[in-house]
Amino acid sequence: NAGVTQTPKFQVLKTGQSMTLQCAQDMNHNSMYWYRQDPGMGLRLIYYSASEGTTDKGEVPNGYNVSRLNKREFSLRLESAAPSQTSVYFCASGNYGYTFGSGTRLTVV
Amino acid sequence: DAKTTQPTSMDCAEGRAANLPCNHSTISGNEYVYWYRQIHSQGPQYIIHGLKNNETNEMASLIITEDRKSSTLILPHATLRDTAVYYCIVRSPNNYGQNFVFGPGTRLSVLP
């Protein structure tokens, strides 16, 4: 099925560890996004990429880096994970109506 | 992007129409109204969007007032599977993400 694929679905990290969240879309969208959602709250934009080769900060970029590897793939990296980064991470793509992935549930202990 | 105001929660009887209101009194002329929903633990799902005319698709109808300061999402025959958080977002089509803000939304509970 066409859509946005995120990996992994679940991850537990120790404080200070690093990891990369992967996101790929097969809808030929120019724009891709990373959001985080904390319990009981709305989504907050971390980074976005309006087109291949460009990235920009969103509302909460501190502690994260991103790479737009090609038109299909947009990865999110945590260089030194902190407990405050425990959250559900959603990737999305689209210029007008967004399509979201199913999320990565990250716990930092 | 203009901010929106939605009720925190609503209930609806199964089989009845669910009418979810949204106020966006500071909307500007080129901003669209979007509706998404998020079923527990899943990624948000696009429902519908519009500029000034009423819109309808297979999921819902969107009614925008003539002054565009408010809108209503209508689920014509709500089912238990429509229980979700519904987000109303106002956004310019030229703003690629920086201000595409998902607020707390309205938690809709469809009751049997």
Side-chain angles (χ1 to χ4, degrees):
Chain A
N1 290 336
V4 177
T5 302
Q6 291 184 236
T7 56
K9 293 189 183 301
F10 301 93
Q11 184 72 49
V12 178
L13 289 178
K14 294 182 179 179
T15 297
Q17 286 185 317
S18 62
M19 78 162 294
T20 299
L21 282 64
Q22 306 288 351
C23 175
Q25 54 96 4
D26 58 5
M27 296 169 286
N28 203 37
H29 288 152
N30 288 320
S31 301
M32 297 185 71
Y33 309 83
W34 277 105
Y35 287 86
R36 62 176 286 175
Q37 186 173 34
D38 299 320
M41 297 183 66
L43 283 78
R44 291 185 292 172
L45 184 66
I46 305 171
Y47 271 93
Y48 68 101
S49 171
S51 62
E52 185 179 354
T54 68
T55 61
D56 285 284
K57 296 178 180 180
E59 180 185 356
V60 288
N62 291 343
Y64 305 94
N65 287 303
V66 291
S67 296
R68 183 72 183 269
L69 304 171
N70 47 56
K71 193 170 186 178
R72 290 186 65 248
E73 299 173 289
F74 189 37
S75 63
L76 178 72
R77 183 160 179 85
L78 288 70
E79 291 290 352
S80 178
S84 61
Q85 294 178 304
T86 293
S87 190
V88 181
Y89 292 84
F90 290 103
C91 177
S93 73
N95 297 335
Y96 303 110
Y98 290 178
T99 300
F100 282 81
S102 58
T104 295
R105 284 148 185 80
L106 175 67
T107 302
V108 183
V109 298
Chain B
D1 285 344
K3 292 185 177 179
T4 63
T5 304
Q6 300 178 250
T8 301
S9 63
M10 295 181 63
D11 293 339
C12 176
E14 188 178 18
R16 304 296 293 269
N19 297 289
L20 290 87
C22 180
N23 287 322
H24 32 79
S25 59
T26 60
I27 192 170
S28 61
N30 68 340
E31 289 180 322
Y32 285 69
V33 180
Y34 290 79
W35 283 86
Y36 285 79
R37 72 180 182 183
Q38 188 174 23
I39 297 171
H40 180 63
S41 298
Q42 299 180 21
Q45 176 190 24
Y46 165 81
I47 301 173
I48 198 168
H49 76 283
L51 182 62
K52 56 182 179 180
N53 298 320
N54 298 338
E55 302 288 345
T56 296
N57 63 20
E58 65 278 5
M59 291 181 66
S61 294
L62 174 60
I63 309 298
I64 302 174
T65 58
E66 189 169 349
D67 64 7
R68 302 208 325 121
K69 292 184 177 181
S70 65
S71 60
T72 301
L73 178 74
I74 301 173
L75 308 179
H77 305 286
T79 71
L80 298 179
R81 289 176 294 178
D82 292 322
T83 292
V85 177
Y86 287 77
Y87 300 99
C88 170
I89 302 164
V90 174
R91 178 177 179 267
S92 165
N94 296 320
N95 191 337
Y96 289 122
Q98 188 164 5
N99 292 317
F100 204 143
V101 177
F102 286 79
T106 295
R107 183 171 298 278
L108 175 69
S109 297
V110 180
L111 307 175

